[in-house]
């Protein structure tokens, strides 16, 4: 039986409308899972809904309110959504506490980091000092990998991808800054931006800064990530 995978979505506060790129659902389905989109209802009820699922995927979206990691808003901070922030951060902390498999994508890696007490660069272009300057907001099509990511030897992500250097797409201006336990940074771009975090203490808790769901049809190695996640979910007990 296909494992049931909850997928968080975006929430347009002005239009009062939830929305999600279908690629997230298609990628989970292509990897053998059954996708379920999670609405923004009462936070406690979202956790009780999640307790019936086999895993949770946190998706892309806007910026996280820096209040969650003890900072004032930087002038380059984008739009924040308090409803989505509160629900996702609580849900992620619950999932980690209950060892529910978690995959974070783009904003999702940031949600995972912040939920465990980590911090973010609110804007890497102005806050990250590096000799290598990569444009992490590509204008090339989403399926096209624009920069490299070096994966930590022996990490879960390198064993999933079967390589220690991969190429990824990039659609972000924020990034994980300080990683809090149980996470470790296990993948970085050439300018030092953290692009992968993972926990060795959990069944499956991996966050990636890129968008594998937009790549997997052109670059099949990206399906390996969804397959590893779905496989871990299929062994989790709801
Ligand atoms: Mn990037």
């Amino acid at each position: 039986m296909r494992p049931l995978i909850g997928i968080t979505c975006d929430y347009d506060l002005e239009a009062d409308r939830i929305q999600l790129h279908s690629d997230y659902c298609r990628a989970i389905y292509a990897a053998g899972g059954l996708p379920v989109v999670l609405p923004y209802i009462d936070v406690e009820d979202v956790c009780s809904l999640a307790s019936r699922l086999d895993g949770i995927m946190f998706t892309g979206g806007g910026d996280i309110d820096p209040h969650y990691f003890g900072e004032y808003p930087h002038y380059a901070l984008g739009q924040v959504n308090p409803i989505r922030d509160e629900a996702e951060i609580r849900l992620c902390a619950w999932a980690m506490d209950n060892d529910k498999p978690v995959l974070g994508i783009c904003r999702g890696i940031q949600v995972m980091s912040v939920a465990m007490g980590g911090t973010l660069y609110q804007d890497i272009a102005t806050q990250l000092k590096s000799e290598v300057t990569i444009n992490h907001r590509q204008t090339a099509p989403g399926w096209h990998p624009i920069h490299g990511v070096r994966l930590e030897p022996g990490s879960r992500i390198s064993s999933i991808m079967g390589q220690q250097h991969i190429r990824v797409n990039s659609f972000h201006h924020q990034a994980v800054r300080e990683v809090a336990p149980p996470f470790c940074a296990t993948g970085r771009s050439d300018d030092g931006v953290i692009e992968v975090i993972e926990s060795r203490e959990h069944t499956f808790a991996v966050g990636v800064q890129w968008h594998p769901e937009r790549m997997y049809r052109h670059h099949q190695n990206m399906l390996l990530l969804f397959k590893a996640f779905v496989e871990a979910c299929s062994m989790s007990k709801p």
Side-chain angles (χ1 to χ4, degrees):
M1 204 160 69
R2 286 172 176 260
L4 212 51
I5 318 270
I7 305 180
T8 65
C9 56
D10 203 13
Y11 175 48
D12 181 335
L13 272 165
E14 280 174 31
D16 191 27
R17 179 179 293 146
I18 59 171
Q19 51 201 14
L20 182 71
H21 286 293
S22 300
D23 280 345
Y24 289 108
C25 299
R26 287 193 201 108
I28 289 295
Y29 191 73
L34 265 189
V36 181
V37 181
L38 303 177
Y40 291 101
I41 49 175
D42 179 89
V43 173
E44 302 301 331
D45 286 336
V46 171
C47 293
S48 86
L49 168 58
S51 71
R52 303 186 201 179
L53 304 172
D54 300 308
I56 303 163
M57 183 162 79
F58 292 87
T59 56
D63 291 354
I64 294 172
D65 188 334
H67 174 72
Y68 281 102
F69 48 96
E71 290 182 13
Y72 295 117
H74 183 270
Y75 67 85
L77 179 73
Q79 195 174 31
V80 299
N81 182 327
I83 306 288
R84 188 173 179 190
D85 281 352
E86 175 71 10
E88 284 193 316
I89 289 167
R90 288 276 300 278
L91 180 59
C92 186
W94 177 89
M96 296 295 290
D97 279 353
N98 290 277
D99 197 21
K100 191 66 78 176
V102 170
L103 174 62
I105 291 178
C106 198
R107 172 188 158 93
I109 185 182
Q110 298 166 10
V111 166
M112 288 169 69
S113 175
V114 170
M116 291 293 104
T119 64
L120 305 178
Y121 287 109
Q122 295 187 43
D123 180 62
I124 47 178
T126 53
Q127 292 185 307
L128 178 68
K129 306 287 178 247
S130 166
E131 288 173 13
V132 188
T133 44
I134 292 173
N135 182 355
H136 286 271
R137 288 179 130 170
Q138 74 187 58
T139 50
W143 46 262
H144 181 65
I146 203 77
H147 70 67
V149 171
R150 229 160 270 287
L151 305 176
E152 191 82 15
S155 63
R156 180 158 209 166
I157 188 71
S158 73
S159 90
I160 291 170
M161 302 307 289
Q163 287 179 280
Q164 280 167 27
H165 188 264
I166 56 171
R167 291 191 57 77
V168 304
N169 60 12
S170 197
F171 294 93
H172 59 109
H173 83 112
Q174 300 203 308
V176 173
R177 189 171 193 166
E178 294 161 305
V179 184
F183 290 121
C184 335
T186 54
R188 288 176 189 265
S189 59
D190 293 324
D191 55 355
V193 169
I194 293 173
E195 296 260 349
V196 187
I197 62 172
E198 61 185 55
S199 165
R200 297 200 171 114
E201 298 163 25
H202 289 77
T203 300
F204 191 101
V206 176
V208 300
Q209 186 57 69
W210 65 93
H211 281 276
E213 84 287 357
R214 295 180 72 174
M215 294 180 69
Y216 78 94
R217 269 169 298 199
H218 293 77
H219 302 275
Q220 292 196 340
N221 64 337
M222 289 301 159
L223 193 57
L224 298 171
L225 181 53
F226 294 106
K227 282 187 167 167
F229 173 54
V230 170
E231 192 180 333
C233 293
S234 73
M235 291 183 284
S236 118
K237 293 185 185 71

